[in-house]
């Protein structure tokens, strides 16, 4: 669990982290070794799920060596509402979402904490507007969650 107590008294307790894959964890379908290692560290602390349309068809191969990460590949006819359904099922207030694309927007509207990755593949303006935090890379997003005091500095009022 990731627990955060803000100076204003607000308490966050996150048990789930949901990632988009392409443009968020991966660039052109490929993840870096650093991101793989950080994901494994995070999965040792909380439930980690990757929910993706898998545009490049590489998510299963790229995540196979990352222990503890649950992969959901969306059918071609599914949209972001399926991502939001999972977040709702796990408890939206206890879930962090990390994404960049338009199909991430439905889960961004309901999650307890929303982190937008503004990387080389760009970001949807809807996700950007709904985000609590914007980072430059997936490694930055994961490190925020592994070192939650960084979140306090960013989220404090």
């Amino acid at each position: 669990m990731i627990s955060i107590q803000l100076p204003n008294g607000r308490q966050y307790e996150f048990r789930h982290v949901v990632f988009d894959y392409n443009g968020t964890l991966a660039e052109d379908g490929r993840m870096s070794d650093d991101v793989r290692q950080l994901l494994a560290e995070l999965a040792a602390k909380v439930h980690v799920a990757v929910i993706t349309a898998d545009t490049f068809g590489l998510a299963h191969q790229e995540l196979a060596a990352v222990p503890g990460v649950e992969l959901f590949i969306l059918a071609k006819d599914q949209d972001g509402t399926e991502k939001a359904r999972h977040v709702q099922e796990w408890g939206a207030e206890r879930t962090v979402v990390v994404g960049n694309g338009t199909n991430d927007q439905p889960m961004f509207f309901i999650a307890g904490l929303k982190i937008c990755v503004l990387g080389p593949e760009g970001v949807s303006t809807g996700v950007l507007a709904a985000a609590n935090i914007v980072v430059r890379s997936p490694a930055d997003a994961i490190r925020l969650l592994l070192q939650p005091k960084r979140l306090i500095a960013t989220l404090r009022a």
Side-chain angles (χ1 to χ4, degrees), residues 39-63:
L39 267 180
E41 286 179 45
L42 185 61
K45 296 178 180 291
V46 294
H47 170 240
V48 173
V50 174
I51 308 175
T52 178
D54 199 19
T55 305
F56 294 92
L58 298 170
H60 182 71
Q61 173 187 330
E62 290 288 303
L63 288 163

Side-chain angles (χ1 to χ4, degrees), residues 13-35:
E13 290 188 358
F14 299 114
R15 299 179 187 278
H16 311 276
V17 181
V18 176
F19 289 91
D20 171 52
Y21 185 71
N22 289 299
T24 300
L25 287 175
E27 184 178 338
D28 296 325
R30 300 281 183 194
M31 280 191 327
S32 71
D33 289 337
D34 187 36
V35 169

Side-chain angles (χ1 to χ4, degrees), residues 84-95:
R85 185 187 66 75
H86 283 287
V87 170
Q88 191 68 45
E89 185 178 295
W90 292 321
E93 69 285 349
R94 296 183 315 259
T95 303

Side-chain angles (χ1 to χ4, degrees), residues 20-147:
D20 171 52
Y21 185 71
N22 289 299
T24 300
L25 287 175
E27 184 178 338
D28 296 325
R30 300 281 183 194
M31 280 191 327
S32 71
D33 289 337
D34 187 36
V35 169
R36 248 186 229 94
Q37 180 182 342
L38 289 167
L39 267 180
E41 286 179 45
L42 185 61
K45 296 178 180 291
V46 294
H47 170 240
V48 173
V50 174
I51 308 175
T52 178
D54 199 19
T55 305
F56 294 92
L58 298 170
H60 182 71
Q61 173 187 330
E62 290 288 303
L63 288 163
V66 184
V69 174
E70 190 173 15
L71 174 63
F72 297 88
I73 297 178
L74 300 174
K76 299 293 180 213
D77 63 339
Q78 292 177 324
D79 59 15
T81 57
E82 184 65 15
K83 291 183 177 190
R85 185 187 66 75
H86 283 287
V87 170
Q88 191 68 45
E89 185 178 295
W90 292 321
E93 69 285 349
R94 296 183 315 259
T95 303
V96 178
V97 295
V98 185
N100 77 316
T102 300
N103 73 348
D104 298 322
Q105 206 166 311
M107 69 178 182
F108 266 62
F109 288 145
I110 63 171
L113 179 64
K114 292 85 78 170
I115 302 174
C116 174
V117 176
L118 178 54
E121 294 185 17
V123 66
S124 157
T125 58
V127 166
L128 184 62
N132 300 108
I133 299 172
V134 178
V135 295
R136 297 174 297 174
S137 73
D140 289 344
I142 298 167
R143 284 186 185 107
L144 278 176
L145 299 171
L146 290 172
Q147 299 171 10

